[in-house]
Amino acid sequence: MKKQIIACALGLGMAFGAFASKNVGPGIGGMLCGNLNGLFWDVLGISINDTFWPVKFGAVTFGTSGASQPSRLVYEPTEKFIEENMDFVATDIAMGNGEYLDTIAVMLEVQDVDSFKAKAQANFDVIFPNAEVSAAEVTQNIVALL
């Protein structure tokens, strides 16, 4: 019986994720107190979340109960590499070949390197939309091509 109650509480906790507060966080507390304003309600919601931590753990893990999973992975090593070698990367992408483009393909674990290079070259203007583009934007644009 206890297992059924726990399972029901977990299920209900995950079902009402649309009501979670940004201050309280994902979980039952966010669902119960998230739409109420004030420090008292935020503290109460956080306390409830801490009491029912398995639901919060499940929410963060599975993107339920008001938690959201990142829509895109962050490729920090690739971004750092591109930032340090921006001009060389641009040149390699414009040519459709080169050691910097090969390195990016390895870092992103690209399966079909030749088609990746051709696609990058064909989409140079998308990857580098302007001269002031940041390494983060270049990385996002390259990942979007994959």
Side-chain angles (χ1 to χ4, degrees):
M1 183 68 177
K2 288 183 183 180
K3 290 181 183 178
Q4 292 173 338
I5 292 172
I6 291 171
C8 182
L10 289 173
L12 285 174
M14 291 181 187
F16 296 106
F19 304 109
S21 167
K22 291 180 182 176
N23 292 334
V24 176
I28 295 173
M31 295 179 299
L32 296 176
C33 303
N35 292 332
L36 303 173
N37 294 327
L39 180 63
F40 172 79
W41 296 111
D42 287 347
V43 171
L44 180 63
I46 291 168
S47 299
I48 292 170
N49 277 347
D50 288 345
T51 303
F52 295 100
W53 65 267
V55 174
K56 185 174 165 184
F57 177 76
V60 173
T61 304
F62 301 110
T64 60
S65 296
S68 60
Q69 294 178 321
S71 59
R72 184 181 302 230
L73 295 173
V74 178
Y75 297 97
E76 288 183 33
T78 306
E79 183 179 324
K80 185 168 177 60
F81 174 79
I82 290 172
E83 182 177 18
E84 292 171 353
N85 303 291
M86 187 78 93
D87 293 335
F88 298 114
V89 169
T91 302
D92 281 7
I93 291 176
M95 294 186 317
N97 199 7
E99 63 185 51
Y100 294 92
L101 191 54
D102 289 336
T103 302
I104 292 170
V106 169
M107 293 176 87
L108 296 177
E109 299 176 359
V110 174
Q111 299 298 320
D112 186 359
V113 177
D114 291 332
S115 93
F116 167 71
K117 290 178 181 180
K119 198 171 189 180
Q121 183 181 24
N123 290 287
F124 180 85
D125 292 337
V126 173
I127 296 170
F128 290 94
N130 57 56
E132 291 80 31
V133 68
S134 70
E137 291 173 299
V138 170
T139 305
Q140 290 174 356
N141 295 340
I142 291 172
V143 169
L145 293 176
L146 297 178

